[in-house]
Amino acid sequence: METAGEMKELRFAIIGTGFWARYQLAAWREVPGPRCVALCNRTRAKAETLAREFGVPKAYEDAEELLRREKLDFLDIITDVDTHSRFVHLAAAYKTPVICQKPMAPSIAEAKKMIAVCAVENVALSVHDNWRWQTPIRELKKVLDSGVIGPVFRARIDYCNSFPVFDNQPFLKTVEEFILTESRTTSHEPRTTSHEPRTTNYQPMKTLTLIGAGGKMGCRITNNVKRSDWQVHYLETNPAGVQRLKDLDVTCSDTRVALPAADVAIFAVPDVAMESVTREMVPQLKPGALVVLLDPAAPLDGKVAHRDDLGYFIAHPCHPSVFNWEPTEQGFRDFYGGISAKQAAVCALMSGEEKFYALGVELARLIYAPVIRIHRVTVEQMAILEPALVETLAQTCMEIVKEGYDRVVAKGLPADCARDFVLGHLRIQIAVLFGEVNGTFSDAAYKISQRAKPVLFKEGWPKIFEMSDIREQVRDITRK
C-alpha cells in the first residue's frame, strides 16, 4: 500500500483563473500527490499572473492547445457554468478525467450530455462541492453520527455568513434563480409532513439530435432548440460549421451517444448529401424514433434511408409573407423567419403512425417559431409547392426581373432609381394579384402583360406542375 510519501504524482491543469481558482490552488497544495503543471484562461495575462504567484510552470489561453501539449492525469474546470459543458466535452475528446466546479451545468439536458460523453469515452467525471467538508457541516455530521439526538427524519438548517459573493463574482448577479443555483437541495414539489412516498407526474425529457447543426439552416434551428425543453445533441463534421456552433456556445456531441439516444432526429443536411448521411445514421436510431426532414426533394427521389420501425415527417417553412405586419424593424428584417417574424409552415407525414405527425408538428412550431399556421399536405403536394411553384417558377421569374434591372442600370439609369421603381411596383403587383388590396391593374398594364407572356414563356410551361416533371426537377436537385 502506498503511503503519502510514496504516492504517485498526478499532473493536472486548471481552466479558469478567476476568484475561486486561487482558493483551489491553495487547497491542492495541501493534498499529497497532485501537482498543477499549467493554468489556462481566455485572458492569458491573468493565467500568467496566477501561475507566477503559485509557481505553476505554464500558462495557456487556448484549452485545446493545453490538452494537446500537456500530458495530464486530470483537469480541474473552474469557469462560469455556461462553459462547463464545452470544456468537459473537450477533455473527454482527449481522454482526460475531469473535475468540474459546481453548479455542473445550466440545465439538466446539458448535464446529461456531459455525463454521456464521458461515459462513451470511458473518462471519469466528478463534480465537486466543498460545502460538506466545511467545519460547521462536519461538526453537524459528528452530532448526527453520535446518535445523541436520536434518528433524524427531517431537518431545516439555516446557514448565513457575510462573505462578499457579488463583490468577488459580479457575474453571479445575472445568474437566473441564483438562490436555487447555490442551494444544496431543491424540490419543485410541495412540502408534505406525510411519511408516505411521494408520487409525481414526472415525464422523461425528450431527446433531439440535430444533424448538420452548423449549416445555414442548422444554425437557425440551433438558436431555437437550445432554448427549449428538449435535451439536444448537435452533430456537425464540417470545421466551419463546428466553429459556427462554438460561436453560438454550443458543443458538438458524439454520434455514438447522440443517435441511439434520439427520440427525434432532424436531418438539416444538403439534398445532395442526404442519401449518404441517412444511410450511415438512420441504422443507429432506436426503434420508435422520428426522422424529421426539411425538404421534400430527397424523400420524393428515394434518397432517404428507410426503416419500417421509424416515423418519417417533413416540415418546411413558408417564410414570412411580404405582407406580414411586424411591429419592429428586427421582425421586418427577419426575412427567412425563425427569429421573430411570423410565418406558416407546411407539414407532411411521410410514413408511420399518426402520433408521429403530432410530434412532428410540435417540432415544426419550435424550429420555425413563431409559427402562426400549420398546413397539412402530402409529400407530393409539398413538392408541387417546392420546387415547382416557388423555385422552378417564382424564383426563375425573379431572377429574370433582376437581370432586367441590371440591364436598365447598364443603360445609364441610376441604380437607386431603378431599385425603388421596380420594388415598389412588385409590391403593388403582388398585392393586386393576391387580393391584398381591392384594386386592379390599368388597361394598359393588362395589354402589355398579355403581349409579353408568349414572348417570355414557352407554350406548355404549366407542365412543371405535373408529377412526372416534378420528379425530374427533384432528381436535378439531389444529383451531385
Side-chain angles (χ1 to χ4, degrees), residues 166-236:
F166 295 121
D167 290 349
N168 295 292
Q169 294 176 287
F171 76 91
L172 288 178
K173 293 180 181 180
T174 64
V175 175
E176 187 176 1
E177 296 181 334
F178 171 66
I179 299 301
L180 290 182
T181 301
E182 291 294 300
S183 294
R184 306 280 63 76
T185 59
T186 62
S187 174
H188 294 293
E189 299 174 54
R191 296 186 178 185
T192 176
T193 56
S194 170
H195 298 297
E196 296 298 320
R198 289 181 293 183
T199 60
T200 71
N201 293 321
Y202 171 74
Q203 296 293 325
M205 181 177 289
K206 290 176 289 189
T207 299
L208 167 65
T209 295
L210 177 57
I211 299 136
K216 292 179 181 178
M217 178 59 78
C219 283
R220 290 200 288 270
I221 294 174
T222 294
N223 274 322
N224 284 343
V225 300
K226 74 177 186 178
R227 299 190 296 266
S228 72
D229 293 330
W230 288 73
Q231 178 181 351
V232 186
H233 291 288
Y234 305 90
L235 298 183
E236 180 59 63

Side-chain angles (χ1 to χ4, degrees), residues 43-297:
T43 304
R44 188 186 185 97
K46 291 183 178 180
E48 291 173 341
T49 298
L50 197 64
R52 285 193 297 270
E53 182 177 342
F54 282 85
V56 178
K58 294 183 181 180
Y60 294 85
E61 63 182 352
D62 184 282
E64 187 164 7
E65 181 185 7
L66 161 68
L67 289 163
R68 187 171 62 249
R69 291 190 175 187
E70 301 295 336
K71 184 176 178 58
L72 302 176
D73 293 295
F74 67 93
L75 182 70
D76 191 2
I77 299 173
I78 320 174
T79 59
D80 295 353
V81 62
D82 289 339
T83 65
H84 289 176
S85 180
R86 174 158 59 94
F87 290 133
V88 167
H89 277 74
L90 190 60
Y94 281 86
K95 309 294 185 183
T96 304
V98 187
I99 298 176
C100 183
Q101 171 79 300
K102 58 86 180 170
M104 180 178 178
S107 68
I108 294 175
E110 281 299 318
K112 287 182 176 179
K113 287 169 62 176
M114 293 160 68
I115 294 169
V117 71
C118 288
V120 166
E121 300 297 345
N122 196 27
V123 167
L125 170 62
S126 302
V127 180
H128 66 73
D129 188 334
N130 66 346
W131 284 86
R132 68 177 61 191
W133 305 109
Q134 293 188 12
T135 299
I137 306 301
R138 301 310 296 169
E139 290 301 314
L140 174 62
K141 181 69 164 59
K142 287 180 182 179
V143 172
L144 294 175
D145 289 345
S146 71
V148 67
I149 62 175
V152 175
F153 62 88
R154 183 177 177 181
R156 174 174 176 174
I157 302 172
D158 294 320
Y159 183 90
C160 301
N161 61 41
S162 58
F163 187 79
V165 173
F166 295 121
D167 290 349
N168 295 292
Q169 294 176 287
F171 76 91
L172 288 178
K173 293 180 181 180
T174 64
V175 175
E176 187 176 1
E177 296 181 334
F178 171 66
I179 299 301
L180 290 182
T181 301
E182 291 294 300
S183 294
R184 306 280 63 76
T185 59
T186 62
S187 174
H188 294 293
E189 299 174 54
R191 296 186 178 185
T192 176
T193 56
S194 170
H195 298 297
E196 296 298 320
R198 289 181 293 183
T199 60
T200 71
N201 293 321
Y202 171 74
Q203 296 293 325
M205 181 177 289
K206 290 176 289 189
T207 299
L208 167 65
T209 295
L210 177 57
I211 299 136
K216 292 179 181 178
M217 178 59 78
C219 283
R220 290 200 288 270
I221 294 174
T222 294
N223 274 322
N224 284 343
V225 300
K226 74 177 186 178
R227 299 190 296 266
S228 72
D229 293 330
W230 288 73
Q231 178 181 351
V232 186
H233 291 288
Y234 305 90
L235 298 183
E236 180 59 63
T237 58
N238 182 281
V242 172
Q243 183 58 53
R244 283 191 288 269
L245 292 175
K246 285 184 178 179
D247 294 340
L248 296 173
D249 290 326
V250 168
T251 303
C252 291
S253 299
D254 190 309
T255 56
R256 293 169 294 178
V257 175
L259 293 174
D263 297 303
V264 176
I266 298 179
F267 285 83
V269 299
D271 293 300
V272 295
M274 188 65 72
E275 184 172 26
S276 60
V277 172
T278 57
R279 280 184 176 179
E280 176 188 352
M281 295 189 172
V282 165
Q284 301 179 59
L285 299 174
K286 64 185 178 183
L290 175 62
V291 173
V292 174
L293 307 165
L294 307 179
D295 188 276

Side-chain angles (χ1 to χ4, degrees), residues 19-44:
F19 175 75
W20 286 112
R22 179 180 305 279
Y23 288 87
Q24 289 183 212
L25 270 169
W28 280 120
R29 283 182 165 182
E30 299 179 17
V31 179
R35 181 170 72 91
C36 185
V37 298
L39 300 179
C40 180
N41 196 80
R42 61 188 176 186
T43 304
R44 188 186 185 97

